[in-house]
């Protein structure tokens, strides 16, 4: 859709004739072509025009503190304009929200995390939720305590399931350093559908001895999916833990040697699709197993 092929009155709806914003153009042999903000062909003005709240493009660092000091100035300017446009509306339209999401996935990690912090600090629940999603996708452990503080207020919002998806599916833990902040979330037991399950899914990605107490904590979750996550991990732990309660490294090809803790009873209490046992029954077995074997496995504390 080259600009020269369009009539002037077709470039922008009349309702936007006086609007402040950015067009994105590329020039080739004297002709300008309008670039869509997102990938693919654009069919509506939302995809080629970024509304702005003021005429001037502000210093990016004034909009997003914490940007990479030696980052790409042009990209940071556009990112700041995008964030400022998004922040100017308490309930942004879906197209703009999608563009912000894509941009935070593709920009420099430090810049994207700094932008996420700005969104999380907004008074708008929708802004906060998008910021939390972005930070979780980027593997930020610093956002987990923020999520713990904000979850009660945000969980009724229609967009909150996106945070749960980001936590359970897209978040990549930073090894055992992520256990403590995730454990803070396991202790909340909010009863929100899928919340504890998302935390359990994130913990299982770590998969080491360090997550055992957290998974035991999730046996008391009101979320049945979380209980099944915990029971499944504990059954694998019982199968592969060595005499000291440590999990040996995974061998090339993905296997671990079977240890001395596996029994017919632990194998029978590994959740499976065709099982007739309830999540509560699995939880009861593994709580009893933990109480009996915790000290012998080398764990201390309550």
């Amino acid at each position: 859709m080259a600009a020269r092929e369009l009539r002037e009155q077709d470039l922008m709806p009349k309702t936007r004739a006086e609007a402040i914003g950015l067009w994105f153009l590329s020039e080739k042999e004297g002709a300008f072509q309008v670039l869509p903000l997102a990938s693919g062909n654009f069919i509506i003005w939302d995809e080629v025009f970024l509304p702005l709240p003021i005429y001037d493009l502000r210093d990016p660092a004034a909009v997003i503190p914490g940007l990479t000091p030696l980052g790409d100035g042009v990209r940071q300017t556009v990112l700041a304009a995008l964030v400022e446009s998004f922040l100017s509306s308490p309930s942004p339209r879906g197209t703009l929200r999608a563009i912000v999401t894509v941009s935070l996935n593709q920009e420099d990690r430090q810049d994207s995390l700094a932008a996420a912090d700005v969104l999380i600090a907004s008074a708008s629940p929708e802004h906060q939720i998008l910021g939390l999603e972005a930070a979780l996708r980027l593997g930020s452990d610093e956002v987990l305590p923020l999520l713990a503080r904000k979850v009660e207020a945000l969980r009724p919002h229609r967009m909150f399931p996106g945070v749960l998806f980001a936590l359970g599916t897209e978040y990549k833990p930073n090894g055992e350093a992520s256990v403590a902040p995730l454990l803070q979330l396991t202790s909340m037991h909010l009863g929100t559908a899928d919340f504890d399950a998302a935390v359990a899914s994130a913990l299982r990605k770590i998969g080491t001895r360090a997550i055992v107490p957290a998974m035991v904590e999730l046996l008391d979750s009101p979320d049945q999916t979380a209980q099944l996550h915990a029971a499944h991990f504990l059954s694998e732990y019982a199968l592969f833990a060595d005499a000291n309660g440590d999990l040996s490294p995974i061998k090339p090809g993905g296997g671990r040697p079977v240890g001395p803790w596996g029994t017919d009873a632990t194998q029978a209490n590994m959740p499976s699709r065709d099982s007739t046992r309830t999540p509560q029954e699995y939880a009861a077995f593994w709580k009893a197993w933990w109480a009996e074997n915790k000290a012998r496995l080398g764990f201390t504390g309550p």
Side-chain angles (χ1 to χ4, degrees):
M1 188 183 289
R4 65 182 178 182
E5 297 172 356
L6 296 177
R7 297 177 302 168
E8 181 179 350
Q9 60 268 35
D10 292 333
L11 282 171
M12 176 72 73
K14 292 181 180 180
T15 56
R16 293 291 164 176
E18 301 298 325
I20 306 166
L22 291 178
W23 289 92
F24 294 86
L25 309 173
S26 67
E27 188 270 338
K28 184 177 180 180
E29 298 179 356
F32 288 91
Q33 183 169 346
V34 179
L35 298 178
L37 301 186
S39 60
N41 294 325
F42 61 88
I43 56 173
I44 55 175
W45 73 268
D46 283 10
E47 296 175 357
V48 296
F49 176 76
L50 178 64
L52 294 175
I54 59 175
Y55 279 102
D56 294 329
L57 288 174
R58 294 202 291 156
D59 178 357
V63 180
I64 309 174
L67 290 173
T68 306
L70 299 177
D72 185 321
V74 173
R75 296 183 71 91
Q76 290 180 339
T77 297
V78 174
L79 179 62
L82 186 60
V83 169
E84 193 158 35
S85 177
F86 189 72
L87 289 173
S88 67
S89 173
S91 298
R93 65 188 189 277
T95 302
L96 181 57
R97 189 182 195 282
I99 292 169
V100 174
T101 298
V102 170
S103 296
L104 295 184
N105 287 343
Q106 295 179 346
E107 293 301 316
D108 174 87
R109 185 175 185 272
Q110 179 178 325
D111 290 348
S112 292
L113 285 173
D117 287 342
V118 172
L119 296 174
I120 294 169
S122 168
S124 164
E126 188 158 341
H127 297 161
Q128 294 177 39
I129 286 171
L130 188 142
L132 290 168
E133 289 178 19
L136 288 168
R137 280 194 297 270
L138 292 166
S140 168
D141 283 345
E142 290 75 15
V143 79
L144 296 175
L146 288 174
L147 174 58
R149 292 200 297 270
K150 291 178 174 290
V151 63
E152 286 278 15
L154 294 178
R155 62 177 176 163
H157 196 278
R158 62 183 178 83
M159 304 299 293
F160 188 70
V163 175
L164 299 182
F165 181 82
L167 175 60
T169 304
E170 299 173 297
Y171 166 73
K172 295 180 180 179
N174 298 291
E176 293 186 355
S178 300
V179 174
L182 286 170
L183 186 58
Q184 181 182 0
L185 296 177
T186 68
S187 64
M188 298 180 72
H189 295 327
L190 294 176
T192 302
D194 299 331
F195 181 79
D196 280 359
V199 177
S201 178
L203 282 164
R204 286 185 67 183
K205 295 174 188 176
I206 301 171
T208 67
R209 169 192 168 92
I211 74 168
V212 174
M215 301 308 278
V216 172
E217 179 83 18
L218 286 165
L219 293 172
D220 288 322
S221 172
D223 186 332
Q224 293 187 359
T225 303
Q227 289 181 315
L228 291 174
H229 271 298
H232 201 283
F233 173 80
L234 290 169
S235 64
E236 292 178 340
Y237 174 73
L239 183 62
F240 297 119
D242 64 19
N244 297 318
D246 296 320
L247 285 168
S248 58
I250 297 176
K251 294 179 177 180
R256 275 191 172 110
V258 174
W261 298 95
T263 64
D264 290 342
T266 60
Q267 286 295 289
N269 281 276
M270 176 181 282
S272 61
R273 291 183 181 274
D274 57 354
S275 174
T276 59
R277 301 190 183 204
T278 67
Q280 292 84 355
E281 289 172 328
Y282 284 125
F285 172 85
W286 287 108
K287 286 168 69 174
W289 181 88
W290 175 248
E292 178 183 352
N293 296 295
K294 174 182 175 181
R296 292 194 294 158
L297 288 162
F299 290 92
T300 59

